[in-house]
Amino acid sequence: DQQVKQNSPSLSVQEGRISILNCDYTNSMFDYFLWYKKYPAEGPTFLISISSIKDKNEDGRFTVFLNKSAKHLSLHIVPSQPGDSAVYFCAATPGSARQLTFGSGTQLTVLP
Amino acid sequence: KAGVTQTPRYLIKTRGQQVTLSCSPISGHRSVSWYQQTPGQGLQFLFEYFSETQRNKGNFPGRFSGRQFSNSRSEMNVSTLELGDSALYLCASRRLAGEDTQYFGPGTRLTVL
C-alpha cells in the first residue's frame, strides 16, 4: 500500500524549459512534504519542503505546490538545467513522529 | 561540518550470511534513520534511533536490526541474508527526532549472491 506515489518513473525536458514533477499521497495525516534529489552513487539531498498550512513555497528556481483537497503536490523547476538531471523523490511526514514516507522517485533528464 | 558517513560503501555477501553496516551522523545530530532503496520501490523506512533508543520501526522482518551508541553512531545488522536483501542502504541523520529535514549519507550498496 503505497501512501506516496510518483506515477512517472521518468521525465525528459529540454534545457531552459520548465520541469514539472508530480506526487500524490493517500494519507490525510501527512502535514509536511519534502522533495529530495539524488545523483548516482550519492545519498538523497534535501531540496525544498512545504507545510500543509501553505499551498506554495519557492526557493530560487524551485517551487513546490500543494493541493490538499486533491492530495497532490508538484515540483516546478524553471529554467531546467542539465545539472538538474537526477532522481527526484517526494516524501511526506505525519504529525510528531516525523517519519518520512517516500515515493518511488522520478528520473529527470534535462537535455542540452 | 562533515556530512553523514557510511561504511563500507560496497559489500558482497552470500545467502545465509549476516552483515553489519555502520553510519556516523553529522556532528551534533542525535537521530539516525535507516532506509532501504531498491529499484522501483523508492526508499523504505527501516528504523530510527534517538539517544540509543529505537523510536520508530518500519515494516521489515526481524532479521533487520539496529542499534545506536552513546556517540550517536549507529549500526544496522541483517542476519540470514536473502537475495532480495540486495539494495542500497541509506542512513540519514537529524539533530532531533522531531525535526523534519534529514541529511543522508552516500549509502552502502549490498549485493547478496
Side-chain angles (χ1 to χ4, degrees):
Chain A
D1 175 31
Q2 272 193 308
Q3 297 186 62
V4 178
K5 298 179 185 179
Q6 294 177 257
N7 292 317
S8 298
S10 63
L11 174 68
S12 290
V13 170
Q14 208 67 38
E15 180 179 5
R17 307 294 288 268
I18 184 172
S19 295
I20 300 176
L21 296 99
N22 294 302
C23 180
D24 297 295
Y25 62 96
T26 57
N27 189 339
S28 56
M29 296 299 292
F30 289 147
D31 64 356
Y32 199 80
F33 305 87
L34 307 91
W35 284 93
Y36 281 82
K37 178 171 72 173
K38 186 180 184 300
Y39 294 116
E42 294 182 14
T45 304
F46 170 72
L47 198 54
I48 192 170
S49 62
I50 187 167
S51 164
S52 60
I53 62 173
K54 294 186 174 183
D55 53 19
K56 177 182 173 182
N57 188 28
E58 277 183 88
D59 184 1
R61 296 185 297 112
F62 302 90
T63 303
V64 57
F65 295 92
L66 175 63
N67 182 333
K68 289 184 289 293
S69 60
K71 293 191 174 69
H72 176 84
L73 65 154
S74 60
L75 175 68
H76 292 210
I77 306 173
V78 184
S80 301
Q81 300 172 353
D84 296 329
S85 297
V87 177
Y88 289 79
F89 291 98
C90 72
T93 180
S96 61
R98 294 307 188 222
Q99 172 186 315
L100 292 177
T101 299
F102 283 85
S104 55
T106 296
Q107 170 70 57
L108 172 66
T109 303
V110 180
L111 305 167
Chain B
K1 187 185 271 193
V4 178
T5 58
Q6 292 186 245
T7 55
R9 292 294 310 276
Y10 301 91
L11 206 48
I12 299 175
K13 291 285 188 178
T14 56
R15 277 184 302 174
Q17 287 187 309
Q18 78 164 27
V19 66
T20 300
L21 312 181
S22 180
C23 170
S24 293
I26 292 171
S27 177
H29 286 198
R30 294 168 59 194
S31 166
V32 173
S33 296
W34 288 89
Y35 294 84
Q36 180 195 65
Q37 184 191 1
T38 53
Q41 290 295 315
L43 282 76
Q44 295 184 284
F45 173 75
L46 280 153
F47 27 67
E48 178 184 16
Y49 285 87
F50 179 75
S51 293
E52 302 177 65
T53 301
Q54 188 179 86
R55 193 169 179 273
N56 285 306
K57 190 178 192 305
N59 190 23
F60 277 82
R63 299 185 298 105
F64 292 81
S65 63
R67 59 178 175 168
Q68 187 180 33
F69 302 95
S70 58
N71 62 358
S72 294
R73 191 177 70 85
S74 177
E75 287 183 347
M76 189 193 96
N77 185 76
V78 188
S79 62
T80 319
L81 284 166
E82 300 177 359
L83 295 179
D85 296 335
S86 294
L88 180 68
Y89 290 88
L90 291 157
C91 160
S93 77
R94 49 187 170 181
R95 194 169 55 91
L96 298 172
E99 291 189 340
D100 296 302
T101 304
Q102 299 185 10
Y103 299 87
F104 284 82
T108 294
R109 171 71 64 184
L110 172 65
T111 302
V112 182
L113 302 176

